[in-house]
């Protein structure tokens, strides 16, 4: 397997050594026993992962790209990339507070007020508060601008009513950032605001949804007269769409390389499975493995190009959609290949619908072509923004339907 | 972190793009496709006089400019985009590489300057082709007669064999492979041009009936062939990237102007999403082709499998992109007068001398140890 290889300066190498040494010293005991556990939208091993986050936080490794005053290290993008790469190499448990660290934090740094940054960033960097994202609604999925959750001012508080869905780890979160309509006469992307709302209040009801692999890691969030202070708007009132779009841009970047290392490990484990099962003499399985390996190397090459241009100061562009499309579909094929190799035994689940790693890939990868902008949306982005093809004609009326 | 983006390379790309856009327009491709030679000697001269392309990867001591495959890749991409017709890959890349793999200074000093200058068109004939690591089955034998060597045998599908001034032939000497140079003027050399589907790239069957030959010494022929196959794979992939870009550009342009049901067909998701998939095919191929060329330049231990995977990816992608572009064009796409058929035909023609995609996959499964 080819390993991710970047041109590092002497300073970068010194930083890399520091990260490696820290991980070696601290990834021991229960943390070492839980290597590889968890994921961005999965709460396996939640308690141990929280303790791991706190271990990282103690030495300032949780939000290294943030300014020091908010609990970060002011690391460069190169250092961030190196950190995440070494982290992935060590196969440490997935950070529990990823949503706050990777999404809400950067959004606050970009659009938040000084008071908001001082109030909310340090508890994320020290693993004391956890966050979830309230974007999708039953009628606002790919068409995110069709948000129907509403907030109106009541004295010095916003009062929010509506429903969010597919909210990952909502049951673990202290706060939710909610994209909500604050101008009742607005339509589509105008008149939305990004509100910070405490989850722990009577106006919020989190109802877990059981997912394809049997877990309950995403949820519906019902907001019924939920309240939040007037100054809990991120960015300007009625400018929430801009804030949301800025966050979606953040979602691609430093986290690309770590995914590759996970994929490398999974590829190796599928080859090992084929070896154990005596399937390597099957010509179809061999072709399947060769194609999966080719796809993985393609992904390495594409990702290295993207990361290298990001490191040279390029803005993350619509090209990220190429990686997202290719990677998510590749991952699904890998899961299907693993099921073909595993045969009947691969259909057996453990007590309480406990799944093995191959079953997890097979099932969980179905969500990867849906979340973070479905494959169809990615294809729209590529064809419209990169290739310049005409936009889909919009319906003649831009008024929102009033019923949900 | 240090920069891997070389500004000079962008300048180089512009130069190559302008040159091939001017020298290999569609009209020229059509004209050459209908000639027996299949290339334009005047443009071939300009390739050398104006840009020194035939000597690009040949070291300066042999009359070239000593660049690597990364710089060559830029040229191949522009050639692919403009369906360039000429013996460039056979002579300036494959034959030159074959000679450079030997330590026979006399032979290199004799043959390489002419290749670098473009005054010699050379090609490599190596028997039955295969992308496996095993040496190909040699179909020509060499024997000493009097003061020199003579060759007997048949070499099939020799790239640009119909016009080559110099044939480098792998022949068996008492059962082991040797490399020999045969002058194109030899009376004991017969050529049968082959009519192929793809008229932008040519080949011939070669008959050797005691043709006089000079042996090229100090060369591991098996290792040379393996390297040549990897270089060919990576170079073809680079050319495919240019061809794909052109086929995609044509599709996008057509989808923007072609109106059906009162709107440009490019506003329908059925067309848009096909174009997005073509873009993914193109960009993923671009990344692996560049990776393979760079790997060969730095003698990466994994260069053989990186070259194979680049060829597999780029070949499948080019076939898809050319085919999809035809589909988006509708009826006009399946006409002789539209240029897309040249692209579609190139895909299979380019790769076949260098091993099937199945054989390249076999190289990959071997490399990953299964």
């Amino acid at each position: 397997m080819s390993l991710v290889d970047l041109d590092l300066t002497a300073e970068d190498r010194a930083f890399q050594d520091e990260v490696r040494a820290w991980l070696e010293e601290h990834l021991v005991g229960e943390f070492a026993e839980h290597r590889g556990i968890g994921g961005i939208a999965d709460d396996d091993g939640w308690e141990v992962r929280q303790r791991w986050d706190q271990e990282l936080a103690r030495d300032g490794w949780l939000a290294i790209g943030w300014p020091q005053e908010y609990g970060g290290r002011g690391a460069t993008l190169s250092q961030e990339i190196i950190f995440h790469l070494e982290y992935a190499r060590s196969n440490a448990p997935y950070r529990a507070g990823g949503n706050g660290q990777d999404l809400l934090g950067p959004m606050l740094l970009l659009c938040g007020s000084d008071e908001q940054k001082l109030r909310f960033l340090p508890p994320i960097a020290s693993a004391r508060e956890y966050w979830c994202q309230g974007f999708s609604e039953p009628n606002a999925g790919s068409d995110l601008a069709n948000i129907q959750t509403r907030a109106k001012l009541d004295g010095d508080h916003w009062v929010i009513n509506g429903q969010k869905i597919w909210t990952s780890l909502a049951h673990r979160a202290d706060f939710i950032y909610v994209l909500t309509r604050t101008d009742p006469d607005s339509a589509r992307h105008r008149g939305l605001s990004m509100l910070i709302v405490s989850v722990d209040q009577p106006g919020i009801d989190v109802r877990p949804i059981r997912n394809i692999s049997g877990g309950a890691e995403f949820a519906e969030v019902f907001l019924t007269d939920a309240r939040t202070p007037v100054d809990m708007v991120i960015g300007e009132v009625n400018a929430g769409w801009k804030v949301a779009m800025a966050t979606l841009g953040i979602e691609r970047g430093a986290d690309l390389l770590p995914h590759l290392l996970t994929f490398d490990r999974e590829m190796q484990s599928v080859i090992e499975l084929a070896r154990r099962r005596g399937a390597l003499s099957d010509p179809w399985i061999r072709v399947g493995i060769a194609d999966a390996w080719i796809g993985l190397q393609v992904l390495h090459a594409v990702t290295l190009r993207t990361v290298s241009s990001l490191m040279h100061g390029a803005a993350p562009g619509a090209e990220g959609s190429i990686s997202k499309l290719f990677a998510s579909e590749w991952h699904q094929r890998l899961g299907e290949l693993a099921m073909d190799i595993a045969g009947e035994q691969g259909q057996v689940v453990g007590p309480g619908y406990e799944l093995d790693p191959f079953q997890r890939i097979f099932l969980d990868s179905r969500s990867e072509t849906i979340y973070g902008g479905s494959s169809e949306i990615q294809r729209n982005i590529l064809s419209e923004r990169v290739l310049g093809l005409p936009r889909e004609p919009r319906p003649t009326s831009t008024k929102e339907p009033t019923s949900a | 972190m240090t920069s891997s983006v070389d500004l000079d390379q962008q300048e180089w790309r512009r130069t190559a793009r302008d040159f091939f856009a001017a020298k290999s327009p569609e009209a020229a491709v059509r004209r050459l496709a209908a000639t027996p030679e299949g290339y334009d000697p005047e443009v071939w001269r300009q390739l050398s006089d104006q840009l020194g392309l035939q000597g690009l990867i040949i070291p300066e001591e042999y009359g070239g400019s000593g660049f690597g495959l990364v710089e060559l890749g830029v040229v191949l991409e522009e050639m692919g985009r403009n369906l360039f017709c000429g013996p460039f890959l056979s002579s300036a890349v494959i034959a030159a590489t074959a000679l450079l793999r030997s330590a026979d200074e006399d032979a290199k000093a004799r043959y390489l300057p002419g290749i670098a200058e473009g005054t010699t068109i050379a090609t490599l004939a190596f028997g039955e082709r295969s992308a496996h690591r095993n040496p190909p089955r040699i179909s020509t034998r060499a024997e000493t007669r009097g003061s020199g060597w003579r060759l007997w045998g048949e070499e099939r599908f020799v790239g640009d064999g119909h016009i080559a001034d110099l044939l480098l032939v792998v022949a068996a000497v008492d059962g082991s492979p040797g490399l020999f140079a045969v002058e194109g003027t030899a009376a004991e050399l017969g050529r049968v041009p082959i009519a192929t589907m793809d008229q932008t790239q040519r080949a011939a069957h070669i008959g050797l009936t005691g043709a006089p030959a000079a042996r090229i010494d100090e060369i591991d022929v098996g290792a040379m062939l393996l390297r040549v196959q990897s270089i060919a794979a990576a170079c073809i992939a680079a050319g495919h990237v240019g061809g794909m870009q052109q086929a995609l550009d044509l599709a996008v342009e057509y989808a923007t102007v072609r109106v059906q049901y009162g709107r440009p067909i490019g506003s329908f998701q059925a067309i848009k999403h096909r174009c997005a998939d073509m873009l993914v095919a193109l960009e993923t191929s671009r990344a692996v082709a560049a990776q393979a060329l760079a790997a060969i330049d730095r003698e990466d231990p994994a260069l053989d499998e990186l070259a194979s995977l680049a060829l597999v990816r780029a070949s499948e992608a080019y076939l898809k992109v050319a085919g999809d572009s035809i589909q988006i064009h509708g009826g006009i796409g399946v006409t002789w007068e539209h240029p897309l058929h040249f692209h579609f035909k190139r895909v299979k023609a380019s790769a076949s001398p260098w091993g099937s995609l199945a054989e390249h996959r076999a190289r990959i499964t071997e490399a990953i140890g299964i």
Side-chain angles (χ1 to χ4, degrees), chain B residues 187-250:
Chain B
E188 301 85 350
L189 174 85
R191 313 176 196 242
V192 181
I194 309 163
T196 48
M197 264 198 297
D198 174 17
Q199 297 171 306
T200 67
Q201 302 179 109
R202 303 300 180 89
H205 298 315
I206 300 291
L208 297 156
T209 50
R215 181 160 192 180
I216 293 158
D217 290 316
E218 296 182 64
I219 182 165
D220 178 340
V221 174
M224 178 274 283
L225 287 176
L226 181 62
R227 179 57 57 90
V228 159
Q229 284 176 334
S230 291
I231 288 178
C235 287
I236 291 165
H240 283 3
V241 169
M244 261 184 268
Q245 180 77 64
Q246 178 66 7
L248 174 58
D249 288 349
L250 289 171

Side-chain angles (χ1 to χ4, degrees), chain A residues 7-9 12 78 271 275 286 291 293 297-298 301 305 308 311-312 376 379-380 383-384 387 390 392-393, chain B residues 1-4 252 263 267 269 272-273 275-277 284 286-287 290-291 309 361 364-365 368-370:
Chain A
D7 273 344
L8 300 184
T9 65
D12 288 335
S78 291
I271 292 173
R275 201 183 307 274
R286 295 181 71 81
D291 283 344
W293 189 85
Q297 303 314 310
V298 167
R305 270 173 101 84
S308 160
M311 287 193 307
H312 294 115
E376 288 68 30
R379 289 187 170 93
N380 283 353
S383 53
E384 291 175 4
L387 296 176
E392 190 85 1
Chain B
M1 305 195 177
T2 56
S3 169
S4 61
V252 168
R263 53 193 257 210
S267 68
Q269 285 191 337
K272 270 161 108 151
H273 287 189
C275 288
D277 287 337
T284 51
R286 191 191 302 285
Q291 176 180 262
L309 87 88
R361 278 195 177 81
I364 287 165
T365 49
I368 56 183
I370 65 167

Side-chain angles (χ1 to χ4, degrees), chain B residues 91-142:
Chain B
S91 187
V93 183
I94 303 299
T97 300
L99 285 166
L100 285 168
R101 296 293 294 186
S102 102
D104 182 340
E105 286 305 321
D106 286 348
K108 287 199 278 189
R110 192 173 326 128
Y111 300 120
L112 283 170
I115 294 173
E117 227 182 14
T119 49
T120 301
I121 292 172
T123 190
L124 177 69
F126 54 93
E128 194 174 302
R129 286 144 179 81
S130 160
H132 288 298
R133 277 170 187 278
N134 324 332
R137 190 187 306 155
I138 300 170
S139 46
T140 293
R141 69 176 203 281

Side-chain angles (χ1 to χ4, degrees), chain B residues 74-102:
Chain B
V74 174
V75 174
L76 295 165
E77 199 179 318
E78 296 308 320
M79 285 180 166
R81 180 199 300 267
N82 293 287
L83 297 161
F84 176 74
C85 302
F88 188 81
L89 188 70
S90 300
S91 187
V93 183
I94 303 299
T97 300
L99 285 166
L100 285 168
R101 296 293 294 186
S102 102

